[in-house]
Amino acid sequence: MIRSLRGRLFVGMTAIILLTGATGGVFAYRWAFGEAIEMQDSILIQLASLAQAGSFKGGQPLQGVEEDTEVWLIELGETSRGSSDDRQLFRLRDGLQLATWNNQTIRVLLRTRSDGSRFAVAQPTAVRDETARDVAFRTLLPIAALIPCLMLVTALVIAHSLRSMVRLAGELDARRADDMTALPRSHMPSELHPFINSINRLLRRTGLLMDQQRRFVADAAHELRTPITALSLQAENLDSVELPKPARERAAALKQGMHRTKHLLEQLLALARHEAGQSEPPEMPVAALDCVAKDVVADLLPEATERSIDLGFALVDPVMVRSEPGMLAAIIRNLLENALRFTPPGGTIDIGIYREGGMAILQVEDGGPGIASTDMDQIFEPFFRGSCPEGEGTGLGLSIVKRIVDSLSGKIALENMVGIDRSGLRATVRLPIARDPESLPGKGSGENQAPQLSG
Ligand SMILES: Nc1ncnc2c1ncn2[C@@H]1O[C@H](COP(=O)(O)OP(=O)(O)O)[C@@H](O)[C@H]1O
Ligand SMILES: [Mg+2]
């Protein structure tokens, strides 16, 4: 059983072509064979008429008749005599018929001249049949040549007709998981319209479901924020109370737990807020990527110093991108927090901000272990924390980064650096440049070519 539609169509069409070719071939062969025999009969008749008019006599080569056609003129005289074969011929009536002569089957035409003498024009049936077969066989050649051509054309037509289906599948495969825009029906064969309609209906339903889910997460996070904040405050209030040592230790653990929960809620809210804003993107302001980055670094510097990590800019160019500064800060903060968490004490974190090919590039290189290649596929999924998660976290950071970058029409790539002098994770974010400050009057110009921050 052939599963592919293309295969089935091709096999079916090939069978039809072969059947038509075979039937047509048989009929053409038989028709041509019959025609060739009739043609040879008419030649015999013409020769007989010439012989009757006395144009030539038996015993001499027939003028204008090829030798290998083996047409003989047999003079039978006025009475039955000569060999037994001749006598037998003489006994036949005038006209065309089959006879045996010299141990061969022949096609013979007998005529009687006005002087009473009789003659026969004869040709062996074996020769006639061979000629007829030859002629008939030639009619088969064009049919035989046509069959492979037809099969080729069929294969091309099938491939062409199914191309739009293949293209549709490719488009669906290449889609982002959260892309719920309807598939276009124009330029698609009408047979595919029901499928496209069904897929579009499904996309609409899934989109609604996703919206509901987002709203639920946003509402839940929002509703939880107030009580958690209140609980945090209560926990912090414990600081001002004189407590025995074991109680103080437990209160510290409680406070840390509250802090973690607050962080998770904030991340969830950021995600939900961001997704809610995606349906109608507002006109984004222009923000200086370098300035935002400097602010975030300043914020994280105490933590880095505490762990003796060298956190700093390897390269920083003024670059403007179209974005809410808060969104840029969220990107940089999440990447730097990860880098800080995974870089061991004494390690280095290099930040680079520069322009390349019309894009603003933000690069963070850390001194950590990098991400296992098996985790790379899922690393941007919410709540995914890799096969060996470290420290506290929610697994939401990179998915928030990815969504923000996507919404800014940017790209993010994570790669493990492998080098003798350096290993770690390199995160590269590319965002479209909003305005080129270097092109403003009074400033120099120049574009940095993908610098290696390390090395
Ligand atoms: N710089 C890094 N080095 C090594 N692993 C990383 C790095 N950044 C992220 N990861 C891996 O990706 C996972 C997901 O990161 P993220 O989405 O920020 O969540 P979280 O930081 O809350 O764990 C992390 O748990 C970690 O396993
Ligand atoms: Mg993180």
Side-chain angles (χ1 to χ4, degrees), residues 74 76 79-92 99-103:
I74 307 163
L76 299 171
T79 52
S80 147
R81 58 185 164 78
S83 68
S84 67
D85 276 341
D86 285 358
R87 286 203 301 279
Q88 219 176 336
L89 273 189
F90 192 86
R91 266 180 244 122
L92 296 174
T100 313
W101 195 72
N102 278 352
N103 297 324

Side-chain angles (χ1 to χ4, degrees), residues 161-175 181-189 191-200 203:
S161 312
L162 295 185
R163 212 182 42 186
S164 37
M165 216 152 87
V166 175
R167 206 179 55 217
L168 186 67
E171 269 172 29
L172 275 173
D173 277 344
R175 265 183 178 231
T181 46
L183 290 170
R185 282 195 338 183
S186 48
H187 309 303
M188 286 290 171
E191 286 82 356
L192 286 184
H193 287 187
F195 284 107
I196 297 176
N197 291 344
S198 300
I199 293 172
N200 284 345
L203 284 174

Side-chain angles (χ1 to χ4, degrees), residues 14-137:
T14 306
I16 292 172
I17 291 170
L18 289 178
L19 203 70
T20 315
T23 318
V26 167
F27 278 104
Y29 183 89
R30 296 181 68 161
W31 174 81
F33 188 88
E35 285 292 305
I37 293 286
E38 266 178 38
M39 195 89 137
Q40 295 182 93
D41 279 348
S42 66
I43 289 172
L44 289 187
I45 292 168
Q46 278 169 31
L47 287 174
S49 307
L50 290 173
Q52 195 158 21
S55 294
F56 44 79
K57 281 259 168 2
Q60 64 188 60
L62 295 184
Q63 291 280 310
V65 181
E66 276 183 41
E67 214 167 294
D68 59 4
T69 55
E70 289 191 47
V71 181
W72 310 311
L73 181 63
I74 307 163
E75 292 294 342
L76 299 171
E78 282 169 45
T79 52
S80 147
R81 58 185 164 78
S83 68
S84 67
D85 276 341
D86 285 358
R87 286 203 301 279
Q88 219 176 336
L89 273 189
F90 192 86
R91 266 180 244 122
L92 296 174
R93 278 178 288 108
D94 278 6
L96 263 171
Q97 52 225 293
L98 285 175
T100 313
W101 195 72
N102 278 352
N103 297 324
Q104 300 183 67
T105 314
I106 54 167
R107 182 81 165 155
V108 62
L109 174 63
L110 284 132
R111 285 278 171 89
T112 308
R113 294 200 185 88
S114 47
D115 61 359
S117 66
R118 298 191 74 204
F119 66 92
V121 186
Q123 192 178 21
T125 48
V127 176
R128 289 161 55 87
D129 286 354
E130 201 191 308
T131 312
R133 268 199 297 276
D134 218 37
V135 170
F137 183 72

Side-chain angles (χ1 to χ4, degrees), residues 267 334 337-338 341 393-398:
Q267 297 274 59
N334 270 299
E337 276 175 355
N338 284 351
R341 174 137 39 90
T394 56
L396 286 173
L398 286 179

Side-chain angles (χ1 to χ4, degrees), residues 244-398:
K245 194 166 175 262
R248 250 208 323 278
E249 270 166 20
R250 296 207 184 147
L254 181 67
K255 258 164 58 187
Q256 209 179 6
M258 298 309 312
H259 181 76
R260 262 202 310 270
T261 316
K262 245 172 85 179
H263 180 64
L264 168 65
L265 275 182
E266 266 154 27
Q267 297 274 59
L268 278 174
L269 266 176
L271 198 64
R273 211 178 296 132
H274 187 71
E275 304 225 290
Q278 260 189 345
S279 40
E280 67 252 21
E283 183 56 26
M284 295 272 195
V286 172
L289 181 62
D290 49 311
C291 297
V292 177
K294 281 175 191 160
D295 287 348
V296 177
V297 170
D299 235 16
L300 294 174
L301 217 49
E303 191 189 333
T305 319
E306 194 184 312
R307 297 188 49 221
S308 331
I309 292 173
D310 174 14
L311 168 70
F313 287 95
L315 177 68
V316 57
D317 281 349
V319 193
M320 307 299 277
V321 292
R322 196 163 280 285
S323 162
E324 200 76 59
M327 287 161 99
L328 293 182
I331 297 176
I332 302 168
R333 177 174 284 276
N334 270 299
L335 292 179
L336 287 183
E337 276 175 355
N338 284 351
L340 273 173
R341 174 137 39 90
F342 285 95
T343 304
T348 314
I349 299 173
D350 284 327
I351 306 160
I353 291 176
Y354 53 93
R355 279 166 293 121
E356 185 192 284
M359 298 295 262
I361 314 286
L362 160 73
Q363 213 165 57
V364 176
E365 292 181 349
D366 65 28
I371 294 176
S373 54
T374 45
D375 290 342
M376 278 293 191
D377 286 351
Q378 287 168 276
I379 206 69
F380 293 116
E381 277 173 23
F383 302 109
F384 182 75
R385 298 203 62 216
S387 36
C388 37
E390 200 169 301
E392 285 170 10
T394 56
L396 286 173
L398 286 179

Side-chain angles (χ1 to χ4, degrees), residues 417-424 454-455:
M417 297 180 287
V418 271
I420 344 153
D421 52 337
R422 177 116 206 216
S423 69
S454 49

